Amino acid sequence: MIVVITALAGLVSPLSANMYIPSIQVVRDDLHTTQSAVTWTVTAYILGMAIFPLIWSNLADRYGRKPVYIASMFVYTCGSIGCALSKSLVALIISRVIQAAGSSAVQSSGAGTISDIYPREQRGTALGIYYLGPLLGPCLGPLIGGYIGQDVGWRWVFWVLTMWGGVMMMLAIFVLPETHRRIVSKKHRIQQVNIAPLLSLKENNPLLDLTTARYPAVALALFHFAMLFGTYFTNSTGQPLAYQNIYHLSQGMSGLCFLASGFGCIVGSTCGGRVTDILLARRKRILIENAKQNQEEGATPVDIVVPAEARLEAVWAGTTMFLAGIVIGGWLIDKHISLAAVLVMQFFIGTGMAFTFQSLGSYLIDVFPTKSARITGVQNFWRSIWGAVIVQVFPTMLDNIGWGWSYTVMFFLALLSFVGIMIVVYRGTALRERYGPPTTL
């Protein structure tokens, strides 16, 4: 139940980012602005998603998960009301920032909740279920928002989100329990493991969390996270333009096309989570067998520490699928080739992104087991910053070099980060032993 509620709360942020995208051209006309200007309603939201999780994750580690969920859903609901009532572009952008401030808490605190209640050996599967929320949002948002915007207008998109935020706030108040290990152990007087010490307000500085990027292995993982997310989010914002302007679909039908990547996300996230747990268990068995063969005195399963890089051994499969979907899909749109073929590539993009997303998220939590919410906030910051940049640049890229080359540019950026993450797969343990963070979990 906790995982399901957390996943549903995690759906709020990406739903809000993408739900009104099929109506963005209507919003542009209704508010008498330009395509470039109205894109700031998306960019401002992504920037909010980048910055505010750093604050929420620190609050969650200090005061607990439950108060953060309640407060953030209240802020989110207020921001959604503001969006629905906005009469100008400036008012809409400000309301979108408030909306992002509220919705973004679960992006970091949600992973912290999963880390609180599941041991390392089962964490990948649980995170696979949790990540369904954040990953399905970009797919379900345009589908739901397309029909709402088409039938009753774009403002009702935000009224629906207001109601969703209210429901999530009620669940946080009356159903969701506190899971933070330090708070639970103190309240119920039970012994917990991997409990982060309570930091002072001065030490509890969100900017200090960003310094985790000084570790080479962590920096390469964050870089891959950012490149893939930026490409994925840009693809999600660009698809309605392709469906409506090139394939001449209605708002509702263009939203329906997002089911392809949605199904891919379900496959990738559920399989990816299970695969990371299997890889971890397999590596542990190998290490135990090696210890027995070498007759190391006192070597038992308890003594065996499996390096976090075991989680990444299959990351190549997800990334390869994602990269193929991006570059082929971009050129299919550029040449106006079969919509069915484009949707097949969208399925590959969704599957590859979810698989890789889950693997990287599990890896970073394993590296920072007592800072799961905070390291998730850090990776959310870097990926959202890059997402904001590439989304804002994307319309200009389309105007100047077209769909095919725009997607090819994103392909090569993601390919560069792929090289980096493969270095982590093969040399990550050595990098962490030399440069940090420590390999002991």
Side-chain angles (χ1 to χ4, degrees):
M1 178 62 72
I2 295 175
V3 178
V4 173
I5 293 175
T6 306
L8 289 174
L11 190 62
V12 168
S13 181
L15 265 185
S16 304
N18 294 274
M19 200 162 161
Y20 99 117
I21 285 177
S23 304
I24 198 166
Q25 297 183 70
V26 179
V27 175
R28 177 196 64 194
D29 297 336
D30 193 29
L31 298 182
H32 309 292
T33 186
T34 64
Q35 184 66 38
S36 178
V38 79
T39 304
W40 276 104
T41 60
V42 178
T43 304
Y45 186 90
I46 302 174
L47 288 173
M49 285 173 58
I51 296 169
F52 290 106
L54 294 172
I55 300 172
W56 288 119
S57 62
N58 279 265
L59 292 174
D61 277 350
R62 184 171 183 83
Y63 300 107
R65 319 294 188 203
K66 187 180 178 77
V68 164
Y69 288 140
I70 296 171
S72 63
M73 286 300 103
F74 175 76
V75 173
Y76 169 77
T77 303
C78 293
S80 298
I81 294 172
C83 290
L85 298 175
S86 294
K87 300 296 184 182
S88 68
L89 181 63
V90 173
L92 181 58
I93 291 174
I94 293 172
S95 297
R96 288 284 280 171
V97 172
I98 297 172
Q99 195 184 38
S103 68
S104 62
V106 188
Q107 296 294 303
S108 56
S109 300
T113 297
I114 302 302
S115 182
D116 290 339
I117 61 178
Y118 282 94
R120 188 189 182 205
E121 293 74 16
Q122 301 173 12
R123 193 183 298 151
T125 301
L127 282 171
I129 298 172
Y130 161 68
Y131 279 132
L132 282 175
L135 288 168
L136 278 176
C139 313
L140 295 178
L143 169 61
I144 301 169
Y147 281 106
I148 294 175
Q150 177 179 286
D151 294 338
V152 292
W154 66 269
R155 295 183 187 277
W156 265 99
V157 170
F158 293 109
W159 286 124
V160 170
L161 291 173
T162 299
M163 290 183 273
W164 183 259
V167 170
M168 288 298 101
M169 184 169 65
M170 292 299 105
L171 287 174
I173 293 172
F174 298 110
V175 180
L176 195 67
E178 179 57 66
T179 63
H180 194 288
R181 293 184 179 187
R182 187 186 66 254
I183 296 174
V184 171
S185 63
K186 182 178 180 180
K187 180 178 179 181
H188 299 285
R189 297 180 180 178
I190 58 177
Q191 184 65 37
Q192 293 272 21
V193 296
N194 278 343
I195 301 178
L198 180 62
L199 302 177
S200 66
L201 290 177
K202 183 178 180 180
E203 294 172 319
N204 212 39
N205 184 349
L207 296 179
L208 292 177
D209 295 338
L210 296 178
T211 63
T212 53
R214 71 184 184 275
Y215 303 120
V218 176
L220 290 171
L222 293 173
F223 180 52
H224 194 47
F225 237 133
M227 292 301 104
L228 262 64
F229 177 81
T231 302
Y232 178 71
F233 199 84
T234 303
N235 173 69
S236 296
T237 59
Q239 287 307 296
L241 297 175
Y243 298 144
Q244 294 175 36
N245 298 338
I246 295 177
Y247 295 100
H248 308 294
L249 301 182
S250 65
Q251 275 185 246
M253 287 301 295
S254 68
L256 199 62
C257 291
F258 279 82
L259 284 177
S261 56
F263 285 131
C265 284
I266 293 174
V267 173
S269 190
T270 53
C271 291
R274 184 61 184 150
V275 166
T276 62
D277 282 348
I278 292 173
L279 290 171
L280 201 69
R282 187 186 71 173
R283 179 71 75 87
K284 187 169 186 176
R285 286 196 302 270
I286 293 173
L287 291 174
I288 292 172
E289 288 300 320
N290 290 341
K292 289 179 179 178
Q293 290 176 6
N294 295 331
Q295 297 181 337
E296 293 180 5
E297 185 177 350
T300 67
V302 177
D303 301 319
I304 301 298
V305 177
V306 183
E309 286 72 22
R311 297 257 191 210
L312 300 175
E313 289 179 356
V315 74
W316 64 269
T319 303
T320 300
M321 191 177 298
F322 177 83
L323 292 174
I326 285 294
V327 71
I328 296 173
W331 283 105
L332 288 174
I333 295 172
D334 190 85
K335 302 302 180 183
H336 299 195
I337 298 175
S338 170
L339 177 61
V342 172
L343 295 181
V344 171
M345 292 303 105
Q346 292 301 308
F347 173 80
F348 288 150
I349 290 170
T351 303
M353 177 62 190
F355 192 101
T356 306
F357 197 98
Q358 206 286 327
S359 300
L360 290 171
S362 299
Y363 169 72
L364 289 173
I365 289 175
D366 275 7
V367 173
F368 297 96
T370 62
K371 300 178 181 179
S372 53
R374 297 169 75 167
I375 191 59
T376 305
V378 169
Q379 54 99 339
N380 187 81
F381 173 83
W382 292 115
R383 77 176 193 235
S384 296
I385 287 292
W386 173 244
V389 171
I390 193 67
V391 163
Q392 194 62 32
V393 171
F394 186 64
T396 304
M397 292 170 63
L398 286 182
D399 291 341
N400 288 279
I401 58 177
W403 287 90
W405 284 111
S406 295
Y407 272 61
T408 301
V409 169
M410 293 190 293
F411 164 82
F412 278 112
L413 289 172
L415 181 64
L416 178 63
S417 70
F418 182 36
V419 174
I421 201 62
M422 293 312 294
I423 293 174
V424 176
V425 172
Y426 291 105
R427 301 294 301 165
T429 304
L431 285 172
R432 289 194 294 119
E433 287 175 349
R434 183 171 181 179
Y435 300 106
T439 56
T440 303
L441 296 176

